């Protein structure tokens, strides 16, 4: 007989996941495993009901929990052939799934060391740059904070692995990111520090303050505060769940939910960091990266690497574009150009050196639409075109004329 009527249920050794749309699935999943253990089960089959959509705050913790339970002798088998659901049992790994790094969003990634953190982080940020245009300060804030939070897992969680997923919702213009570890939890990390929280809920409230860390020799304690500031500035939502409690920041207000959540073991309180942002709203990165009155300068190393001696961003189409024949490839490159110009305040050189063949749809999407979006004077002031052949110039000129006619007729 199935255990309860919830988003996750158990019948014998079969755990059925009915919904992956919110964090309630995590509690239900742990409950099913616990109850299965009590009656003697240690090997489970995971089945999925009619799952239409899944969100990071559900799938990432469940993937991390399965990995933890495997480490203590349990086994889990996925009964689904759906490639989108199978990674819950076996998440993506940078060293094994290198091809997936080209499109890293909406995938569960497992990381175990600083090299894997850097690889996943770089892949996610680069994909975000190309997937859509972000308001000022948003990408820089996300880039800084997710690296800090992933690094916290390695330095403080005492867990063998961390897990992350980033999901972009273009229609609603919001991004959802969840980072999970089945480690000792925030309370156990801080209880022997100088901060000495009395209860688990106190530790969650303390951890978002500037300079809070288990050991100043290990870290400065600005990662969680930076994330808090990012969400506060962006009017988004942040949920930190560890042990039986959760700290919530939403619409500028904070709240503590106590004694609601389950965790894998008494010595494994685990930690879930889940946040969402409207990326169409500007964020002051100066406010986000100010700690105890001291401003931290964010350096976009990617932008620095493509700068020329004049300080312009040079976008080599032959190297950076995923081909020069499709509108999609042009749109992804255009998003990157706009995002980096917006975040750096620098001008751009779009260099066609080495490009032999270019379609009218590609040049229309990349250059003609950029011309219309920026306007004549801004385009001429901020964009330079280099190494275009006569044929490419003629194709571009025709596209721009047609775009102007379509825009103003």
């Amino acid at each position: 007989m199935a255990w309860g009527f919830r988003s996750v249920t158990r019948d014998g050794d079969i755990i059925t996941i009915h919904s992956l749309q919110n964090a309630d699935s995590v509690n239900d999943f742990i409950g099913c495993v616990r109850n299965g253990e009590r009656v003697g089960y240690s090997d489970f089959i995971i089945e999925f009901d009619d799952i239409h959509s899944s969100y990071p705050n559900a799938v990432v913790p469940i993937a991390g929990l399965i990995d933890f339970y495997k480490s203590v002798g349990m086994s889990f088998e996925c009964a689904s052939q759906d490639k989108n659901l199978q990674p819950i049992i076996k998440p993506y790994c940078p060293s094994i799934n290198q091809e997936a790094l080209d499109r890293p969003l909406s995938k569960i990634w497992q990381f175990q060391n600083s090299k894997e953190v850097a690889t996943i982080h770089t892949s996610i940020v680069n994909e975000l740059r190309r997937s859509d245009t972000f308001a000022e300060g948003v990408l820089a804030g996300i880039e800084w904070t997710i690296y800090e939070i992933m690094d916290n897992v390695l330095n403080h969680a005492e867990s063998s692995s961390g897990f992350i997923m980033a999901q972009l919702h273009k229609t609603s213009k919001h991004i959802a990111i969840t980072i999970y570890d089945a480690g000792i939890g925030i309370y156990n990390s801080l209880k022997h520090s100088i901060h000495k929280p009395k209860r688990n809920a106190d530790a969650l409230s303390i951890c978002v303050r500037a300079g809070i860390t288990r050991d100043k020799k290990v870290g400065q304690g600005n990662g969680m505060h930076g994330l808090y500031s990012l969400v506060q500035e962006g009017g988004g939502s942040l949920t930190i769940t560890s042990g039986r409690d959760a700290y919530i920041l939403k619409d500028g207000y904070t709240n503590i939910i106590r004694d609601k959540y389950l965790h894998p073991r008494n010595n494994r309180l685990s930690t879930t960091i889940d946040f969402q942002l409207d990326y169409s709203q500007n964020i002051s990165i100066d406010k986000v990266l100010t700690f105890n009155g001291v401003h931290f300068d964010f350096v976009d190393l990617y932008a620095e690497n493509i700068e020329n001696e004049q300080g312009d961003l040079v976008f080599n189409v032959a190297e950076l574009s995923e081909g020069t024949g499709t509108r999609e490839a042009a749109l992804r490159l255009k998003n990157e150009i706009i995002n980096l110009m917006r975040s750096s305040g620098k001008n751009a050189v779009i260099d066609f050196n080495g490009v032999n063949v270019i379609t009218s749809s590609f040049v229309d999407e990349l250059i003609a639409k950029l011309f219309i979006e920026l306007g004549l004077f801004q385009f001429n002031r901020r964009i330079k075109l280099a190494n275009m052949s006569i044929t490419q110039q003629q194709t571009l000129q025709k596209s721009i004329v047609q775009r102007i006619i379509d825009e103003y007729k």
Side-chain angles (χ1 to χ4, degrees):
M1 184 173 188
W3 181 77
F5 183 74
R6 299 177 180 274
S7 55
V8 183
T9 59
R10 180 185 62 82
D11 189 354
D13 63 345
I14 298 175
I15 294 177
T16 302
I17 298 177
H18 306 281
S19 173
L20 289 167
Q21 294 191 333
N22 58 61
D24 290 342
S25 303
V26 182
N27 238 24
D28 293 343
F29 180 80
I30 296 174
C32 286
V33 174
R34 282 188 178 183
N35 280 272
E37 275 191 292
R38 288 186 186 124
V39 294
Y41 292 105
S42 61
D43 302 322
F44 295 97
I45 298 171
I46 304 292
E47 291 188 346
F48 296 92
D49 207 346
D50 192 15
I51 304 290
H52 295 290
S53 58
S54 57
Y55 294 90
N57 60 357
V59 297
V60 174
I62 290 177
L65 285 162
I66 289 173
D67 179 77
F68 169 75
Y69 287 133
K70 285 180 178 178
S71 73
V72 295
M74 294 186 186
S75 71
F76 293 83
E77 178 184 339
C78 182
S80 174
Q81 298 301 312
D82 189 332
K83 292 183 179 179
N84 294 318
L85 298 174
Q86 288 175 342
I88 293 178
I89 302 294
K90 188 176 181 180
Y92 288 89
C93 174
S95 59
I96 299 173
N97 309 106
Q98 293 183 10
E99 73 288 345
L101 290 166
D102 291 336
R103 292 290 194 278
L105 303 184
S106 296
K107 292 180 173 68
I108 308 166
W109 290 94
Q110 181 175 8
F111 56 91
Q112 296 180 314
N113 53 58
S114 57
K115 182 179 179 181
E116 291 181 343
V117 166
T119 300
I120 295 168
H121 172 266
T122 299
S123 179
I124 288 175
V125 172
N126 286 346
E127 180 64 12
L128 290 176
R129 283 197 192 100
R130 293 185 161 219
S131 295
D132 206 351
T133 54
F134 288 71
E136 187 174 345
V138 177
L139 264 179
I142 291 172
E143 181 174 0
W144 188 85
T145 53
I146 64 172
Y147 191 92
E148 289 289 317
I149 302 304
M150 292 173 77
D151 190 57
N152 278 353
V153 172
L154 300 183
N155 289 322
H156 304 297
E158 297 184 22
S159 175
S160 61
S161 295
F163 301 82
I164 183 173
M165 175 192 274
Q167 199 172 65
L168 200 67
H169 300 269
K170 294 184 181 180
T171 302
S172 58
K173 295 292 181 183
H174 88 273
I175 185 169
I177 298 176
T178 299
I179 300 171
Y180 175 84
D181 68 80
I184 61 173
I186 294 172
Y187 172 72
N188 285 329
S189 178
L190 292 178
K191 69 180 180 180
H192 296 304
S193 70
I194 60 172
H195 313 291
K196 294 183 173 59
K198 293 181 179 179
R199 294 176 294 273
N200 186 70
D202 297 334
L204 302 190
S205 298
I206 290 172
C207 75
V208 296
R209 300 176 189 170
I212 300 298
T213 182
R214 168 175 58 85
D215 186 347
K216 288 288 186 181
K217 296 177 182 179
V218 177
Q220 294 178 311
N222 292 327
M224 292 291 280
H225 178 68
L227 176 57
Y228 175 91
S229 298
L230 175 69
V231 173
Q232 182 84 300
E233 283 294 311
S237 64
L238 166 65
T239 302
I240 305 169
T241 307
S242 189
R244 292 190 53 79
D245 310 310
Y247 176 94
I248 299 172
L249 167 64
K250 189 173 183 180
D251 299 326
Y253 297 95
T254 60
N255 185 32
I256 293 280
I257 298 177
R258 301 173 190 269
D259 297 323
K260 176 182 177 181
Y261 301 96
L262 303 177
H263 45 86
R265 289 288 190 274
N266 288 336
N267 63 340
R268 292 281 144 181
L269 301 185
S270 77
T271 301
T272 303
I273 310 295
D274 173 63
F275 70 98
Q276 300 184 27
L277 282 174
D278 178 350
Y279 62 83
S280 67
Q281 302 297 318
N282 289 344
I283 290 175
S284 171
I285 194 64
D286 288 340
K287 291 183 179 179
V288 171
L289 299 183
T290 296
F291 309 105
N292 294 323
V294 178
H295 176 65
F296 174 88
D297 289 323
F298 174 79
V299 178
D300 191 329
L301 297 177
Y302 183 83
E304 279 197 346
N305 288 336
I306 63 172
E307 281 185 23
N308 62 14
E309 293 180 356
Q310 290 72 43
D312 296 329
L313 302 172
V314 180
F315 296 90
N316 189 302
V317 176
E319 294 179 3
L320 298 177
S321 181
E322 298 160 346
T324 55
T326 67
R327 196 171 287 274
E328 181 192 8
L331 176 60
R332 286 170 59 78
L333 180 56
K334 184 180 71 174
N335 286 339
E336 181 174 342
I337 292 170
I338 292 172
N339 283 322
L340 285 170
M341 288 178 64
R342 185 173 288 167
S343 63
S344 67
K346 298 179 181 297
N347 297 331
V349 178
I350 303 177
D351 189 350
F352 288 83
N353 184 45
V355 176
N356 297 319
V357 178
I358 191 169
T359 64
S360 57
S361 61
F362 181 92
V363 78
D364 173 56
E365 187 69 45
L366 179 61
I367 308 298
K369 283 190 177 180
L370 194 56
F371 179 89
I372 295 298
E373 289 173 25
L374 292 177
L376 172 63
F377 297 106
Q378 281 293 318
F379 185 91
N380 285 339
R381 186 176 71 85
R382 301 206 61 193
I383 304 288
K384 299 175 185 176
L385 303 177
N387 297 311
M388 294 190 81
S389 68
I390 298 299
T391 302
Q392 290 167 356
Q393 292 177 37
Q394 291 171 342
T395 303
L396 172 59
Q397 183 170 311
K398 182 179 178 180
S399 294
I400 288 179
V401 170
Q402 186 61 51
R403 275 288 152 198
I404 293 173
I405 293 172
D406 291 343
E407 188 74 13
Y408 297 105
K409 67 180 179 181

